Amino acid sequence: MDVGHCYLEGNADAVEFCPHDSFHNVLAASTYNLQEGDRPSRSGSISLFDVDADAGRLDLTHRLETAGIFDIKWSPGFGQDAGHPLLAQADADGYVRIHSLRSSNLDGSDVSGNCLKEVCGKHVSSSMCLCIDWNPSSTCMTVGLSDGSVSIISIHESQLSILQDWKAHEFEVWAASFDVHQPQLVYTGSDDCKFSCWDWRNDPSNPVFQNTKVHKMGICSIAKSPNDPNIVLTGCYDEHLRIWDVRSISYPISETSICLGGGVWRIKHHPFIPSLTLTACMHNGFAVVKIKGGRAEVNETYKKHGSLAYGADWQRGDSYAAGRRKSKAIATCSFYDRLLRVWIPEGDIFN
């Protein structure tokens, strides 16, 4: 069931529901635009929406103009800005910027909304920042760069500092993700088709493991299971979602894979149901995949976008966990048609 849709002012590439209590209604969507010419420029934006699936509400509350954005992520914890969720952006100017979610009055009226206030930023590299992920304690981030490098950025007292950086891959790093169970480990994937793991506390130039044979094309996304410490999912341009067992770090095993009919650009584990995964499949829309007992199957697809499927996320909330029927939504976005959609799965995918 469709809740609502909106056309953004730029090419849409990421959507993120806020994970924090009292802010589950807040959705952020980012854009990237390339202005070609003698002096090309890359611009973008972050738009905030208020989402109520049961009321069919998708209301724009704030828009922030930025450099072209490749990725955004909400902090899993409040970190140092108590009571205010933080949103990190990785952008084409080589910056990491941190925004704080604040309340505001819209147009001077008594109607309250939410806005973003930049609290700090750091120029990481002359290359582009392509992806970003927070560690579980919200004290640092890992960033993948277009020159094949990876950086670890700490945040302390509203200051960003580079803790580590190293040359991890030969080509663009589209995926860099902390291990939520062992946050000293970082998984990376690149257009060089290498799936790697690094211990950033030690000499990160030597990988913990590196698989160079399984992925047939560039790696787009990596997501560690929040429930099973042994499982990592990877998405690839070769249209496959792969399930890895990493309990033997010297030789991770790809247990199984499923072809989703499009490059697997984004992977999102369901916040409460361990078996469910949401994927953005570039040329083949979006798919909800159930992974259980070593098998993976598509439970539902959503194909109401007309362009590259890039951004996808689940709305958080307690209603799934408590078994209540209050609706929680999925947000998806597509690139060239600049389309954001919010919808509710039609099938009984939660059983």
Side-chain angles (χ1 to χ4, degrees):
M1 181 184 79
D2 290 320
V3 173
H5 70 275
C6 177
Y7 289 96
L8 303 178
E9 294 186 351
N11 301 322
D13 56 10
V15 289
E16 294 280 321
F17 273 110
C18 187
H20 298 288
D21 292 343
S22 303
F23 299 101
H24 294 149
N25 60 303
V26 177
L27 172 67
S30 65
T31 65
Y32 169 90
N33 302 296
L34 172 61
Q35 301 293 330
E36 298 186 84
D38 294 335
R39 301 181 65 181
S41 63
R42 296 171 173 87
S43 62
S45 65
I46 302 174
S47 298
L48 290 184
F49 294 87
D50 179 15
V51 177
D52 185 328
D54 287 325
R57 188 174 72 236
L58 175 64
D59 294 335
L60 177 68
T61 64
H62 180 67
R63 177 174 287 126
L64 176 69
E65 300 300 323
T66 70
I69 294 177
F70 286 101
D71 199 12
I72 52 173
K73 290 284 172 26
W74 292 103
S75 59
F78 285 126
Q80 299 154 29
D81 198 3
H84 296 285
L86 300 177
L87 182 68
Q89 77 175 56
D91 67 40
D93 286 352
Y95 275 84
V96 167
R97 299 188 188 277
I98 308 298
H99 308 277
S100 176
L101 183 65
R102 304 280 179 167
S103 296
S104 65
N105 288 328
L106 300 180
D107 301 323
S109 70
D110 293 330
V111 179
S112 62
N114 292 294
C115 66
L116 293 174
K117 177 183 177 182
E118 185 175 329
V119 294
C120 54
K122 178 72 175 178
H123 187 239
V124 178
S125 172
S126 57
S127 299
M128 295 184 290
C129 295
L130 302 180
C131 59
I132 194 163
D133 187 43
W134 291 86
N135 70 344
S137 61
S138 301
T139 55
C140 62
M141 294 150 280
T142 180
V143 182
L145 300 167
S146 60
D147 66 354
S149 299
V150 174
S151 294
I152 305 294
I153 313 294
S154 70
I155 179 170
H156 181 67
E157 295 182 349
S158 298
Q159 295 290 325
L160 298 180
S161 303
I162 299 177
L163 296 180
Q164 284 276 20
D165 57 58
W166 69 97
K167 182 73 171 179
H169 292 274
E170 298 171 36
F171 304 118
E172 291 90 343
V173 178
W174 292 111
S177 177
F178 281 103
D179 186 315
V180 295
H181 301 98
Q182 302 180 79
Q184 76 276 11
L185 299 180
V186 171
Y187 302 100
T188 62
S190 165
D191 276 348
D192 62 10
C193 307
K194 295 177 182 178
F195 172 40
S196 306
C197 178
W198 317 83
D199 187 334
W200 68 268
R201 301 171 309 173
N202 301 320
D203 179 6
S205 62
N206 296 316
V208 175
F209 70 72
Q210 190 169 81
N211 184 286
T212 62
K213 298 180 180 179
V214 171
H215 297 93
K216 306 306 180 185
M217 300 176 72
I219 299 167
C220 312
S221 51
I222 300 173
K224 177 71 183 288
S225 168
N227 304 289
D228 189 332
N230 300 318
I231 298 300
V232 177
L233 305 182
T234 60
C236 184
Y237 285 120
D238 67 10
E239 304 184 352
H240 282 78
L241 176 71
R242 292 180 171 86
I243 307 166
W244 296 83
D245 186 332
V246 295
R247 76 188 73 194
S248 175
I249 61 174
S250 61
Y251 186 70
I253 302 166
S254 177
E255 291 184 325
T256 188
S257 66
I258 183 171
C259 181
L260 297 179
V264 185
W265 185 261
R266 194 83 61 178
I267 303 170
K268 292 293 182 70
H269 293 281
H270 192 279
F272 297 116
I273 303 173
S275 61
L276 288 183
T277 299
L278 175 65
T279 58
C281 304
M282 295 183 70
H283 296 284
N284 198 36
F286 301 86
V288 176
V289 179
K290 179 172 282 190
I291 300 171
K292 201 167 186 177
R295 294 186 59 194
E297 61 181 14
V298 175
N299 266 33
E300 186 164 335
T301 60
Y302 187 80
K303 298 185 179 182
K304 294 186 178 181
H305 289 262
S307 181
L308 290 173
Y310 270 169
D313 199 18
W314 305 94
Q315 187 178 25
R316 276 68 166 179
D318 296 331
S319 58
Y320 288 147
R324 298 192 298 271
R325 298 302 297 177
K326 181 175 172 60
S327 301
K328 295 298 176 183
I330 289 173
T332 51
C333 71
S334 44
F335 196 66
Y336 292 114
D337 60 2
R338 305 183 171 191
L339 180 59
L340 165 70
R341 286 189 176 273
V342 176
W343 50 282
I344 299 170
E346 294 183 354
D348 191 9
I349 64 173
F350 305 112
N351 292 324

